[in-house]
Amino acid sequence: MHDYSVAELAQGLREGRFSSVEVTRAHLQRIAALDERFNSFISVDESAALAEAEQADARRAAGEASALTGVPIAHKDIFCTRGLRTSCGSKMLDNFVPPYDATVVSRLREAGAVTLGKTNMDEFAMGSSNETSYYGAVRNPWDTDAVPGGSSGGSAAAVAARLAPAATGTDTGGSIRQPAACCGITGIKPTYGRVSRLGMVAFASSLDQGGPMARSAEDCALLLNAMAGHDPLDSTSSTRDTQDYTAQLERDLSGLRIGLPTQYFGEGLSAATAACVQDALRELQARGATLVDVSLPHSELTVPTYYIIAPAEASTNLSRYDGVRYGHRCEDPQDLLDLYTRTREEGFGDEVKRRILVGTYALSAGYYDAYYKKAQQVRRLIRQDFLDCFEQVDIIAGPTTPGPAFALGAKSDDPVSMYLEDVYTLAVNLAGLPAMSVPAGLVEGMPVGLQLIGQHFDEARLLNVAHQFQQATDWHLRAPGGID
Ligand code: GLN
């Protein structure tokens, strides 16, 4: 049962071939039996999951089911879940049990999806390897000595290892797409504002966006249908109508123009990864697409721009963790300053502290114009590069990452090399665009991803292209060995 996709589970439930309780129990049993190897979950509440599954079965019996009713999924531990700890991978929130659900969680619950548990992640979503989690590193199901990518590495590993058919993730600079690529699954970061951020622990508010991670584009579309839409409680969420993300999946690709940015195929990209991406592009060409060379001239500025803006926003967002209202509090504070400093010293890990220092510096009087303001100006140019390309093409394609997943520990002492892991994904967040990663091949037995970047609010087209690619290939159906 664990090999079924979301679409197959939905169909089986609809036809009464199995119940939600059976499906949920099967996944809980796999988590209990296998997750010791991967560490992909931080919290699992078996009895709550089974109770939700019973409710889903009752709802179906009463004729009130929708597409996802009874399908079990996992949530990244950045989404607030009422009554279930939401740690964000940090000691700071190790004891935090939210009194409310994030909008993403409540929408999926209303659709009838069952919550299996909360997945591991880099602390406060800062990282590309899942090694900064307070709860320990996640291991890649394809090779347990390799990282799963980050920061949604627990979600990616859980889906790849068939512990959950789908999971939620968040992407501030690549955290849905990069782990999806590293674990051989499919993930989509929607347009900024398409999915509500309410109840999603904030990292960099102008970049953060939640989205689905699953094994296929079709499954991502099913989840996005439930997740997307305006939320009056999130002032940055878009009021634009959503699309039916499954409606265009079967559209054929003739006439589709795909832009290939020269900057995404140059130095830094491993030759074997480039070969997989080229094969994937040929496949899309065979299905009727035309390939067009395009340029994103400000590409080399994306890493420095992101690493000013994201830490700046993080430093202000994380100022709320002061030991006063919720989260970690140091023992016996001597006075208010001692409370603040020891709480934050004890509660945050090294990478989070590094970001707070960089961000505070970039925002401080005297440096604001030189760093933060300048970065915002460059961000505008980066966004314009994409808009110029979209005058000529419908979507943009390239690699998701420079190479396959690296060994655990390989980059943990070298922040800059870790930051370069996201060299092809960061610009999308700076521009607010939707983008996805689709499994596109194996390099020495490890998965690599094809990245597809769309125009603002054109998620349906991206999912269509990805689905057509998955009709022609079987990379998304490959599973890591040793997990049966
Ligand atoms: N790896 C990037 C960072 O550490 C992106 C993380 C993310 O998308 N949450 O900032």
Side-chain angles (χ1 to χ4, degrees):
M1 205 171 296
H2 59 267
D3 251 334
Y4 288 152
S5 66
V6 171
E8 288 163 341
L9 287 172
Q11 189 183 354
L13 288 162
R14 205 163 48 235
E15 291 170 356
R17 281 191 281 122
F18 38 74
S19 68
S20 176
V21 168
E22 286 171 303
V23 176
T24 302
R25 191 169 282 132
H27 284 93
L28 290 170
Q29 279 166 356
R30 274 183 74 75
I31 296 169
L34 294 176
D35 200 39
E36 228 176 3
R37 277 196 243 163
F38 311 121
N39 196 27
S40 66
F41 279 86
I42 292 175
S43 305
V44 176
D45 186 341
E46 294 200 0
S47 52
L50 289 168
E52 279 188 67
E54 269 172 35
Q55 277 170 22
D57 286 333
R59 223 171 120 171
R60 190 170 290 280
E64 289 162 11
S66 64
L68 293 177
T69 304
V71 175
I73 59 165
H75 286 296
K76 183 176 183 179
D77 208 21
I78 198 168
F79 288 102
C80 285
T81 41
R82 185 180 179 152
L84 181 59
R85 173 175 63 175
T86 299
S87 73
C88 216
S90 182
K91 179 177 178 182
M92 189 61 94
L93 290 175
D94 181 49
N95 62 3
F96 175 55
V97 178
Y100 72 108
D101 278 333
T103 299
V104 160
V105 172
S106 61
R107 289 207 168 153
L108 284 162
R109 271 197 221 280
E110 278 156 27
V114 170
T115 303
L116 289 169
K118 308 293 294 291
T119 57
N120 204 343
M121 54 180 288
D122 279 301
E123 185 178 7
F124 285 103
M126 297 173 189
S128 305
S129 68
N130 232 291
E131 293 166 295
T132 72
S133 170
Y134 174 60
Y135 303 90
V138 176
R139 290 167 180 273
N140 191 316
W142 292 81
D143 171 2
T144 49
D145 291 328
V147 303
S151 64
S152 313
S155 290
V159 173
R162 277 62 180 160
L163 306 183
T168 54
T170 63
D171 191 311
T172 302
S175 281
I176 286 177
R177 291 161 286 157
Q178 186 258 3
C182 292
C183 290
I185 67 159
T186 307
I188 180 163
K189 177 208 107 65
T191 308
Y192 181 78
R194 182 69 298 173
V195 167
S196 168
R197 293 187 298 111
L198 181 95
M200 196 175 103
V201 177
F203 163 10
S205 304
S206 75
L207 302 163
D208 297 342
Q209 186 61 197
M213 304 173 78
R215 292 199 284 270
S216 66
E218 182 186 20
D219 286 0
C220 285
L222 285 166
L223 261 78
L224 191 58
N225 272 347
M227 294 165 76
H230 179 242
D231 179 359
L233 298 175
D234 169 6
S235 62
T236 61
S237 94
S238 172
T239 52
R240 210 188 238 254
D241 285 342
T242 54
Q243 297 160 292
D244 174 350
Y245 299 104
T246 54
Q248 285 190 44
L249 292 176
E250 303 303 335
R251 178 174 168 189
D252 84 75
L253 299 187
S254 49
L256 177 79
R257 295 161 305 168
I258 304 179
L260 309 179
T262 44
Q263 292 83 355
Y264 283 22
F265 291 88
E267 207 191 329
L269 176 62
S270 93
T273 306
C276 292
V277 171
Q278 295 296 357
D279 285 347
L281 293 170
R282 269 192 290 278
E283 201 59 63
L284 292 170
Q285 231 177 347
R287 301 216 130 210
T290 356
L291 306 180
V292 183
D293 285 328
V294 294
S295 180
L296 297 168
H298 297 92
S299 285
E300 64 176 17
L301 299 176
T302 57
V303 175
T305 303
Y306 174 88
Y307 278 100
I308 295 293
I309 292 174
E313 294 183 10
S315 73
T316 62
N317 273 325
L318 272 58
S319 65
R320 74 190 66 178
Y321 303 108
D322 55 7
V324 176
R325 284 156 296 189
Y326 60 97
H328 178 71
R329 176 184 294 176
C330 68
E331 297 279 332
D332 301 323
Q334 302 305 299
D335 54 28
L336 194 60
L337 190 62
D338 187 42
L339 169 72
Y340 291 162
T341 50
R342 270 201 297 126
T343 293
R344 290 166 69 81
E345 160 66 32
E346 294 166 8
F348 290 137
D350 288 348
E351 183 61 26
V352 173
K353 287 177 186 159
R354 183 179 294 127
R355 306 274 178 123
I356 292 173
L357 288 173
V358 169
T360 306
Y361 184 83
L363 291 176
S364 55
Y367 293 107
Y368 178 91
D369 285 346
Y371 293 109
Y372 188 70
K373 191 169 158 211
K374 179 62 77 186
Q376 289 289 21
Q377 289 165 336
V378 178
R379 176 181 193 168
R380 186 64 163 192
L381 299 174
I382 291 167
R383 176 187 154 96
Q384 193 57 47
D385 284 354
F386 281 102
L387 299 182
D388 291 345
C389 285
F390 286 130
E391 298 278 313
Q392 302 170 54
V393 296
D394 305 300
I395 66 163
I396 290 171
T400 308
T401 58
F406 46 91
L408 278 157
K411 300 191 183 194
S412 27
D413 295 331
D414 184 355
V416 174
S417 92
M418 187 75 87
Y419 296 169
L420 287 173
E421 184 61 19
D422 296 315
V423 65
Y424 306 125
T425 52
L426 298 173
V428 160
N429 301 73
L430 292 167
L433 296 165
M436 60 190 299
S437 181
V438 194
L442 295 173
V443 171
E444 288 169 21
M446 296 301 283
V448 293
L450 167 74
Q451 183 177 207
L452 303 171
I453 304 171
Q455 306 184 36
H456 289 113
F457 298 101
D458 208 9
E459 285 81 5
R461 188 62 165 155
L462 276 185
L463 290 160
N464 159 237
V465 177
H467 179 70
Q468 290 302 309
F469 178 70
Q470 293 182 335
Q471 297 297 101
T473 57
D474 68 353
W475 298 115
H476 64 295
L477 300 175
R478 309 280 180 106
I483 55 155
D484 293 337

